Amino acid sequence: MDAREIKAAVAHQRALSEAAVDRDAPFLNLRDPARSLGPDGRPAVSRRASKWLDVPDDKWNDWRWQLSNRVNDLEEVAEILELTDDEREGLGAPDKFRVDITPYFISLIDPRDPNDPIRRQVIPTGREAQAFTGMMEDSLAEDRHSPVPGLVHRYPDRVLMLVTTQCASYCRYCTRSRIVGDPTQNFNRREHEAQLDYLRRTPQVRDVLISGGDGLTLAPKLLETIIRGIREIPHIEIIRIGSRVPVFMPQRVDDELCEMLQRYHPVWINLHFNHPDEITPEVSRAVDKLARAGIPIGNQSVLLAGVNDCVHIQRALVHKLVANRIRPYYLYQCDLVEGSGHFRTPVGKGLEIMEGLRGHTSGYAVPTYVIDAPGGGGKIPVMPNYLISYSDHKVVLRNYEGYITTYEEPETYERHDERACRYCRDERPEPGQSGVLGLLEGERMWIEPRDFNDVHTRGNTERHRLQDPAKWVPFGVGAIEGKAGAPLPVLEGRSNGTTQTEPKTDYGPGEEPRPRDGEPTASAHGELL
Ligand SMILES: *Cc1c(COP(=O)(O)O)cnc(C)c1O
Ligand code: SF4
């Protein structure tokens, strides 16, 4: 907790006790992030860079002001952040991918921390220009799957509809950097009409995903024309919007937008947060508005070295997402696209993160880890059935159609620095479980109960076993749960006199006793199951 958070907590306490005095006052739910209060007892607000301290609130909170006051050149950025040489090189590069950052978003960056996770997503570096093995311009082969410009029809029943090339700010790792950002290459009304026309003629499409660029940057009237055009097509069941606007510019989520969207239900939204720092009080209020408009909200993250390649950051992120009623949807492996070389992680990193989420936290908080197939086979979950082989430099996968693709692993990867990471330092101990960090260090191949190997205490393993003997019955290969209808057998435990049970002598198919101390172990895994 820093001083700001402590002050905010004190303000919360004060508000709570004031509310408690007046029994008739409506219940004050201070767990709701959309109601969070600042140190002054008013709705919490994020930091503003000193450059904009004098801007009146009504301007600052106006999304059009945010869009027209974006920062994009070296001098302007240098006024706000202390730039490194690498960043100066990146910002000075003549043919770089577009830079443009809303005042709101750049204000969230710690001006003195070159490793700030928000900074790394929007401020270019010289490293961006480095090529790498497997790099492609259109790594998902979207252009090859476009029957009309901007419409990608890759899956049988759904399409991706790119309605603009413009975004509120530009992410350095953008998959579509080949088309995004260029104002001279935007889609126009004629192209939107051609896209709609394709949809009218294609009855197997039941799901349209509006993306870009970012559809929420369009003029409200134009956005509504497109959405209405889609809604008028009888066979389209759901409309989805993939947007990062509420992250870069939560001010855009105003009442007018929410009222418009809810006229065209069912509408779903997928947002794009990569780090917990991006979920500010302003974002919480914007997301609350969308949720009140009846829009289910998901999140897609990209796994990025130096931003979120850490189990603890990812866990903090998904917890903050679900606390804001946002369902983590996908965690993407970084695509093989130009400019993203230094963001790439090995696939093992993603698997490690999934290992640290599944079971450790609410199922709602666990996204699906996917690789978007290089060459264009769609998103492939990194899991058995789809993962064909995994060697030290490439991952072979198949998509839902049986199409086989290869993902080339990065040749260099700068490992996450646990000592410098506040999320690693603040790791909350998980009762009874350890080993996630062991996986990270490559010491172990599995997660084990805490103190498992401590011969002196037999620590938690034994305590766990005695608390719930059924949990620790070792099953052999092919075991089933005892005999039909019969309770699970309770096997002998090394008791300290509390829950002694008689050793069992007859076993059902597949059941086997736990070896006593000193006896050879037939199946070491029996201990863990
Ligand atoms: C991601 C994507 C979709 C949507 O895929 P889901 O797995 O249904 O979310 C559809 N079309 C294209 C081209 C996509 O890239
Ligand atoms: S918001 Fe999406 S489309 Fe726009 S730059 Fe970022 S990743 Fe690319």
Side-chain angles (χ1 to χ4, degrees):
M1 263 200 171
D2 60 21
R4 250 180 83 90
E5 286 171 311
I6 291 169
K7 278 190 190 156
V10 170
H12 271 181
Q13 281 299 333
R14 194 182 320 118
L16 257 188
S17 52
E18 277 162 18
V21 172
D22 181 1
R23 289 264 137 229
D24 297 329
F27 176 66
L28 197 56
N29 175 3
L30 295 177
R31 254 293 159 197
D32 181 349
R35 305 280 164 279
S36 68
L37 302 177
D40 56 0
R42 311 216 358 242
V45 289
S46 303
R47 214 184 76 87
R48 262 197 224 183
S50 51
K51 177 178 165 82
W52 296 293
L53 282 178
D54 297 336
V55 175
D57 286 354
D58 60 335
K59 272 200 177 142
W60 181 261
N61 295 326
D62 176 349
W63 62 274
R64 290 182 175 88
W65 184 90
Q66 288 284 338
L67 269 188
S68 45
N69 285 276
R70 286 180 292 180
V71 228
N72 47 45
D73 71 15
L74 203 156
E75 282 71 40
E76 257 182 310
V77 179
E79 267 181 69
I80 300 155
L81 308 175
E82 290 172 19
L83 293 176
T84 63
D85 291 344
D86 198 11
E87 289 172 329
R88 285 181 184 277
E89 184 188 336
L91 282 163
D95 50 358
K96 62 180 177 301
F97 176 51
R98 177 161 166 191
V99 176
D100 237 341
I101 311 160
T102 56
Y104 157 82
F105 200 66
I106 200 172
S107 291
L108 302 178
I109 297 174
D110 176 349
R112 278 169 299 274
D113 179 8
N115 298 317
D116 181 288
I118 291 183
R119 179 173 188 145
R120 292 280 51 86
Q121 295 180 57
V122 289
I123 306 289
T125 55
R127 282 174 295 168
E128 205 172 276
Q130 284 165 13
F132 57 87
T133 314
M135 184 174 92
M136 290 175 267
E137 193 194 15
D138 177 13
S139 77
L140 310 179
E142 292 187 327
D143 299 344
R144 259 200 294 127
H145 289 88
S146 293
V148 290
L151 203 93
V152 188
H153 193 173
R154 178 177 352 260
Y155 294 103
D157 69 340
R158 55 207 188 281
V159 297
L160 178 67
M161 185 171 172
L162 307 179
V163 296
T164 174
T165 59
Q166 303 297 294
C167 296
S169 301
Y170 294 89
C171 316
R172 304 323 299 165
Y173 52 84
C174 179
T175 293
R176 296 200 189 101
S177 49
R178 71 186 186 285
I179 49 166
V180 161
D182 185 347
T184 65
Q185 288 230 346
N186 213 348
F187 297 104
N188 56 32
R189 295 293 288 272
R190 208 181 53 229
E191 276 144 340
H192 296 147
E193 196 38 54
Q195 294 173 338
L196 288 170
D197 198 48
Y198 176 84
L199 295 177
R200 290 184 198 108
R201 296 185 267 117
T202 318
Q204 70 265 39
V205 176
R206 44 162 286 285
D207 172 359
V208 177
L209 168 47
I210 299 175
S211 182
D214 199 319
L216 294 191
T217 59
L218 288 178
K221 278 227 171 66
L222 176 55
L223 177 64
E224 179 163 8
T225 307
I226 295 170
I227 293 181
R228 184 187 305 159
I230 300 172
R231 209 13 110 220
E232 281 166 355
I233 304 173
H235 57 262
I236 306 295
E237 294 168 8
I238 62 170
I239 299 176
R240 289 199 256 180
I241 301 173
S243 174
R244 215 179 178 204
V245 158
V247 184
F248 289 137
M249 193 172 66
Q251 297 80 4
R252 174 67 186 92
V253 183
D254 51 15
D255 293 338
E256 192 194 336
L257 176 73
C258 294
E259 276 157 30
M260 186 276 276
L261 291 175
Q262 65 185 330
R263 282 200 290 277
Y264 301 99
H265 270 318
V267 175
W268 293 56
I269 280 191
N270 252 331
L271 303 179
H272 173 174
F273 297 97
N274 295 318
H275 191 281
D277 286 0
E278 294 166 324
I279 310 176
T280 62
E282 287 85 350
V283 163
S284 292
R285 291 190 288 266
V287 166
D288 181 63
K289 272 182 191 281
L290 292 169
R292 279 163 196 272
I295 305 170
I297 305 157
N299 183 62
Q300 322 198 78
S301 296
V302 183
L303 179 52
L304 300 167
V307 174
N308 60 12
D309 53 339
C310 161
V311 176
H312 303 116
I313 293 177
Q314 291 281 349
R315 218 184 288 177
L317 171 64
V318 296
H319 286 168
K320 212 163 169 186
L321 288 169
V322 293
N324 281 276
R325 290 179 284 163
I326 307 170
R327 170 79 157 98
Y329 182 55
Y330 285 145
L331 172 64
Y332 286 94
Q333 180 68 11
C334 193
D335 289 326
L336 299 167
V337 67
E338 274 181 72
S340 67
H342 61 291
F343 283 122
R344 297 181 58 223
T345 68
V347 169
K349 178 52 76 173
L351 289 170
E352 178 215 325
I353 287 167
M354 296 310 294
E355 185 77 51
L357 294 178
R358 174 64 67 196
H360 297 267
T361 193
S362 324
Y364 269 139
V366 183
T368 305
Y369 176 37
V370 295
I371 297 184
D372 219 335
K379 292 175 260 287
I380 307 184
V382 189
M383 53 173 72
N385 265 17
Y386 298 96
L387 187 59
I388 295 177
S389 91
Y390 184 5
S391 72
D392 65 346
H393 69 103
K394 69 178 178 184
V395 184
V396 182
L397 304 129
R398 67 126 177 123
N399 78 348
Y400 70 100
E401 301 165 289
Y403 164 99
I404 291 176
T405 185
T406 302
Y407 179 86
E408 206 50 61
E409 287 267 63
E411 281 164 10
T412 54
Y413 166 58
E414 202 174 304
R415 281 174 67 139
H416 176 66
D417 183 355
E418 284 161 40
R419 275 154 315 170
C421 171
R422 65 177 195 268
Y423 293 86
C424 288
R425 283 199 307 266
D426 296 349
E427 180 197 9
R428 257 201 295 181
E430 210 178 325
Q433 296 277 313
S434 69
V436 176
L437 279 176
L439 288 172
L440 191 88
E441 297 294 342
E443 291 161 4
R444 297 191 201 112
M445 298 291 288
W446 60 84
I447 295 179
E448 59 189 30
R450 197 179 287 282
D451 304 333
F452 184 74
N453 282 323
D454 185 337
V455 289
H456 301 295
T457 60
R458 276 304 206 138
N460 255 351
T461 315
E462 205 69 0
R463 279 199 297 281
H464 248 72
R465 195 192 307 280
L466 294 175
Q467 274 164 21
D468 181 4
K471 189 171 176 184
W472 297 102
V473 173
F475 288 116
V477 173
I480 48 163
E481 290 196 3
K483 301 186 184 74
L488 286 168
V490 176
L491 300 177
E492 186 193 358
R494 232 180 64 113
S495 161
N496 24 25
T498 44
T499 344
Q500 184 79 45
T501 44
E502 282 305 310
K504 195 174 141 67
T505 47
D506 67 82
Y507 298 99
E511 302 168 10
E512 49 177 277
R514 192 169 75 86
R516 281 157 231 246
D517 277 349
E519 271 181 6
T521 322
S523 134
H525 288 294
E527 294 270 339
L528 290 170
L529 288 175

